[in-house]
Amino acid sequence: MQDAIVIGGGISGLTAGHQLQQKGLDISVLEKSLHPGGPIQSLEQNGFLLEKGPNSLLLPDPWVERFIDDLGLSDKLQEASPLANKRYIVRRGRPVAVPMSALQAVTTRLFSFKAKLGFLGEPFRRKISDKKGDSETVARFVRRRMGQEFLDYAINPFVNGVYAGDPNELILEYAFPLMRGFERDGGSIIKGALQYRKRRKREGTSYKKRSISFENGLHTLPKTIARKLGNRLWLGSSVVAINRNDQGWQVTWKRDGENFEGFAKNILVCLPSQAIKTLAWPQPMAEHLQASPDLPYPAVHSLALGYRRDQIAHPLDGFGALVPSKESPDILGVLFSSSLYPGRAPEGHCLLTVMIGGRQRADLAEASQDELMAIAEKDLGTLLGASGEPCFSHLTSWPQAIPQYTKEFGPWKQILRDLEADYSGLHFGGNSIDGIAMGASILSGKNLAEKIG
Ligand SMILES: Cc1cc2nc3c(=O)[nH]c(=O)nc-3n(C[C@H](O)[C@H](O)[C@H](O)COP(=O)(O)OP(=O)(O)OC[C@H]3O[C@@H](n4cnc5c(N)ncnc54)[C@H](O)[C@@H]3O)c2cc1C
């Protein structure tokens, strides 16, 4: 009888497994694919170092920093260049820098004079009832508090960049709970944010979030954890049956055509929602889960393009550029990857990572490589003055990239929480329930491990 079997070797499951191993517990981690870390995959090719999935880890709190240190990765850590603070949003077909100071906010071309006056009124707008606020979409909330233009040219591109999502579908309470709390507790976004900042200072819990990666790319993190887990990590292993008896859980999985069996007091399930729903659960769990709502997971294409530096007119002095859906480019946005971290492109070259698809461009989910290349080259030509063909390209398509915290999310999460309450030793984590950023998944794994032992 083991202490725990973790199902799913993405960053949440790996973190949970690692923390349990550190406590000296007996565990196994089962991962369907042949590599650890889910979408966290880096590739070195032709002198370029690209990310197939996430590009940066935004450190959410000091624990994650200590975790990276404990893994022995501090000397491989790369801080994002200070340039990363500068972000562009496309307006009238051109990238415009997002204002970073009060003076820039007054003078920026990103918003009209009328919109700027509208923002000033935000603290004086009445808040809505908590009940109404519970189910409000991001779009409705932003329109109500800040106006249509702020929705179109700040929040819409931001939501494209973070969720590849649609603000008309995401529920504020689920997708941006902090922002919802600002209005609920502080009466307005601005007042709530100021109160929040003051409280954190007073409590000594302020923390300046920073974007990081590693010398050999982000996959250094899952690879290092995988190495530490050693033969406790079962790659290429598909769960074929889960059963329960008085002592705990019996899990059967298949690797290379052979069946293996494990018994554990706890199972920690860190899978995408569809995978959770279709696992071979015992009845009545299976029936319960099959009837649960589906979270939308839009497709996203990540296209890494290498250019000679002199082919790009733009200074590439920032994190990247995001495209509001109102604007004509077809891409979601472009990251200036080689401006963010050193060693991403050979001397005299640059690496750009173009994101295409998402919830608002579902029509591009099945676009071919040629179509995607044509879209990227057209849009980079207009936005960044890219000329000629890229000298390097690599496409990764994620048919189900990121869970959307839409109206289905609340009932979904409740079903998982009810199952945890009904079945001892059953725990759920990962991005289908605990937040969609890498940092949130790391904390989800940590929190799961703290429940056991
Ligand atoms: C294109 C893209 C760009 C992104 N960019 C960023 C970014 O820049 N910054 C950021 O913070 N986040 C980013 N994210 C989000 C972030 O990468 C994920 O939210 C995070 O890695 C999720 O980790 P997880 O462990 O919760 O889930 P996952 O990584 O999805 O882990 C689930 C694991 O379960 C495995 N699995 C599935 N079915 C089974 C089964 N039946 N049995 C066993 N194993 C199974 C899967 O193979 C997978 O490894 C991005 C995501 C994508 C796709």
Side-chain angles (χ1 to χ4, degrees):
M1 176 70 77
Q2 291 191 291
D3 293 297
I5 295 177
V6 181
I7 308 179
I11 197 64
S12 56
L14 292 173
T15 305
H18 176 267
Q19 292 307 101
L20 293 172
Q21 184 188 24
Q22 289 297 97
K23 289 192 197 180
L25 299 183
D26 183 12
I27 57 140
S28 297
V29 179
L30 311 180
E31 164 57 43
K32 191 171 78 168
S33 78
L34 290 172
H35 60 82
I40 309 167
Q41 298 176 36
S42 319
L43 178 72
E44 216 172 330
Q45 213 171 63
N46 302 6
F48 291 91
L49 172 58
L50 64 96
E51 299 291 351
K52 297 182 177 185
N55 278 257
S56 271
L57 164 60
L58 185 65
L59 293 172
D61 78 0
W63 187 88
V64 178
E65 220 170 317
R66 282 198 301 279
F67 177 58
I68 288 170
D69 196 29
D70 292 345
L71 289 168
L73 291 176
S74 294
D75 60 335
K76 300 196 167 61
L77 185 144
Q78 292 179 324
E79 302 274 351
S81 152
L83 285 180
N85 293 326
K86 188 167 180 186
R87 286 153 197 253
Y88 289 92
I89 288 178
V90 174
R91 178 120 207 203
R92 292 185 205 93
R94 291 272 166 272
V96 179
V98 175
M100 299 299 291
S101 66
L103 180 65
Q104 286 174 10
V106 174
T107 56
T108 182
R109 287 187 294 119
L110 192 54
F111 302 108
S112 68
F113 180 66
K114 192 171 153 223
K116 289 175 196 170
L117 276 185
F119 308 156
L120 292 177
E122 195 279 331
F124 308 103
R125 274 173 210 129
R126 283 193 26 214
K127 70 172 192 172
I128 56 168
S129 73
D130 287 355
K131 192 161 180 292
K132 269 191 182 162
D134 284 348
S135 57
E136 193 172 36
T137 63
V138 172
R140 269 192 69 111
F141 170 81
V142 176
R143 210 179 286 122
R144 183 167 61 71
R145 296 226 57 98
M146 306 286 271
Q148 183 69 38
E149 202 174 315
F150 195 75
L151 172 62
D152 292 339
Y153 283 94
I155 298 303
N156 178 297
F158 174 66
V159 165
N160 263 340
V162 177
Y163 275 86
D166 182 346
N168 290 299
E169 294 181 339
L170 296 178
I171 301 295
L172 185 77
E173 167 79 12
Y174 308 145
F176 300 106
L178 194 61
M179 181 107 85
R180 159 108 168 94
F182 289 160
E183 187 194 42
R184 192 187 45 221
D185 308 331
S188 92
I189 303 177
I190 295 173
K191 284 194 274 186
L194 290 173
Q195 284 173 10
Y196 173 78
R197 212 191 307 164
K198 258 195 204 156
R199 197 180 62 241
R200 305 254 317 192
K201 251 195 181 153
R202 204 174 47 238
E203 293 167 350
T205 51
S206 317
Y207 179 74
K208 194 165 180 344
K209 297 182 179 181
R210 291 134 51 214
S211 289
I212 61 136
S213 184
F214 300 94
E215 254 167 45
N216 295 317
L218 270 184
H219 77 173
T220 304
L221 185 58
K223 278 193 156 182
T224 304
I225 304 175
R227 212 166 31 247
K228 290 191 183 261
L229 285 170
N231 62 8
R232 291 176 183 86
L233 173 62
W234 292 71
L235 295 174
S237 298
S238 292
V239 172
V240 287
I242 301 179
N243 286 297
R244 210 183 120 72
N245 62 27
D246 296 344
Q247 278 130 41
W249 299 86
Q250 176 187 7
V251 181
T252 310
W253 64 93
K254 202 176 218 137
R255 184 170 76 177
D256 295 333
E258 196 181 337
N259 274 357
F260 296 86
E261 229 163 50
F263 298 87
K265 284 180 233 154
N266 299 282
I267 50 172
L268 278 52
V269 185
C270 298
L271 300 177
S273 64
Q274 263 309 318
I276 294 178
K277 288 181 70 163
T278 51
L279 270 187
W281 296 104
Q283 291 299 3
M285 287 178 69
E287 209 170 302
H288 208 69
L289 276 164
Q290 269 153 24
S292 63
D294 287 322
L295 293 189
Y297 277 69
V300 172
H301 308 279
S302 170
L303 184 54
L305 296 176
Y307 285 90
R308 278 193 334 273
R309 186 62 191 84
D310 60 13
Q311 286 178 277
I312 308 286
H314 193 275
L316 303 181
D317 54 345
F319 194 90
L322 287 168
V323 179
S325 355
K326 276 206 138 176
E327 292 282 318
S328 46
D330 290 305
I331 64 172
L332 286 175
V334 51
L335 293 164
F336 305 158
S337 303
S338 52
S339 301
L340 288 183
Y341 300 107
R344 266 45 184 182
E347 192 60 36
H349 291 73
C350 58
L351 179 68
L352 303 173
T353 307
V354 180
M355 298 289 178
I356 305 176
R359 192 69 178 157
Q360 299 187 69
R361 291 306 306 264
D363 56 308
L364 295 173
E366 298 194 354
S368 68
Q369 176 150 358
D370 287 350
E371 285 169 302
L372 296 168
M373 280 295 287
I375 286 172
E377 286 184 46
K378 161 184 74 71
D379 287 347
L380 295 185
T382 322
L383 298 176
L384 307 179
S387 59
E389 289 189 1
C391 56
F392 169 78
S393 70
H394 185 282
L395 172 68
T396 312
S397 293
W398 300 99
Q400 299 203 304
I402 296 175
Q404 303 293 300
Y405 290 2
T406 52
K407 64 181 183 337
E408 289 80 12
F409 180 76
W412 162 252
K413 188 164 170 170
Q414 192 54 51
I415 284 174
L416 299 193
R417 293 296 179 232
D418 289 347
L419 287 171
E420 288 177 331
D422 290 347
Y423 297 92
S424 70
L426 174 65
H427 309 276
F428 294 98
N431 71 357
S432 85
I433 182 168
D434 280 337
I436 61 137
M438 250 181 98
S441 285
I442 295 173
L443 290 175
S444 169
K446 168 210 174 224
N447 293 336
L448 280 184
E450 282 174 355
K451 293 182 184 168
I452 289 154

